[in-house]
Amino acid sequence: MMERTLSIIKPDAVKKNVIGKIVDRFESQGIRIVAMKKLQLSLEEAKAFYAVHKERPFYESLTQFMTSGPVVVMVLEGEGVIAKNRAIMGATNPAQADPGTIRADFASNVEQNAVHGSDAPETAAQEIAFFFSGRQLIG
Ligand code: CMP
């Protein structure tokens, strides 16, 4: 099924100057980028984006990290791209991520883990709408 998903290149990966290397992981797997922008999240925006985690002990630290520098947000499109993106990213904790995944290669730790990807069609739709209007998605 043709799908779209939200991808974020997090501040740790932007600081490591590997935006292009991460984008290449998607494009070389046949995924198309239908929207992309670099931005600085405010604390309010980071808290709203990760509201689902607000009871977790890492919420404060996660939102501080996500506002520690610019991020790149992208909408990826492709057949089964939600699961495909998660496979390309690897496990949340880079210590458990398969070799050759983005997190195995570029993440620092379970929090500073280089990329975010939506986990299901409903969250993908919500997360895409959080950053982009319909007319900013160019298929
Ligand atoms: P992400 O896929 O963006 O979804 C939630 C984020 O919370 C996750 O990536 C990590 O950046 C962070 N996270 C998840 N688990 C932990 C943890 N145990 N400690 C710190 N941060 C975490």
Side-chain angles (χ1 to χ4, degrees):
M1 196 184 30
M2 211 52 174
E3 290 177 337
R4 288 176 170 173
T5 192
L6 186 84
S7 171
I8 304 179
I9 303 177
K10 297 186 180 184
D12 58 323
V14 172
K15 284 197 183 87
K16 289 178 184 169
N17 219 20
V18 292
I19 295 170
K21 286 181 177 164
I22 290 174
V23 169
D24 182 58
R25 300 287 174 105
F26 302 132
E27 290 191 326
S28 62
Q29 294 294 312
I31 292 169
R32 301 200 72 87
I33 292 164
V34 300
M36 175 157 66
K37 60 187 171 188
K38 188 178 189 185
L39 57 92
Q40 170 71 50
L41 284 170
S42 69
L43 193 55
E44 290 66 30
E45 288 168 331
K47 285 183 170 174
F49 184 81
Y50 279 119
V52 65
H53 295 304
K54 66 175 182 293
E55 307 303 335
R56 303 283 191 96
F58 57 79
Y59 180 64
E60 198 61 43
S61 169
L62 171 63
T63 53
Q64 287 294 334
F65 160 59
M66 289 299 292
T67 58
S68 66
V71 297
V72 174
V73 292
M74 292 174 283
V75 179
L76 310 181
E77 183 180 81
E79 288 287 332
V81 74
I82 296 171
K84 199 170 174 181
N85 178 40
R86 292 175 70 77
I88 293 169
M89 289 192 298
T92 302
N93 186 342
Q96 284 146 23
D98 289 338
T101 59
I102 292 172
R103 284 167 170 159
D105 291 344
F106 301 119
S108 302
N109 54 56
V110 70
E111 178 176 88
Q112 304 198 8
N113 62 354
V115 280
H116 167 82
S118 311
D119 63 2
E122 302 71 34
T123 44
Q126 284 167 16
E127 291 179 1
I128 290 168
F130 188 91
F131 289 107
F132 297 99
S133 68
R135 61 186 296 278
Q136 292 175 319
L137 309 175
I138 317 293

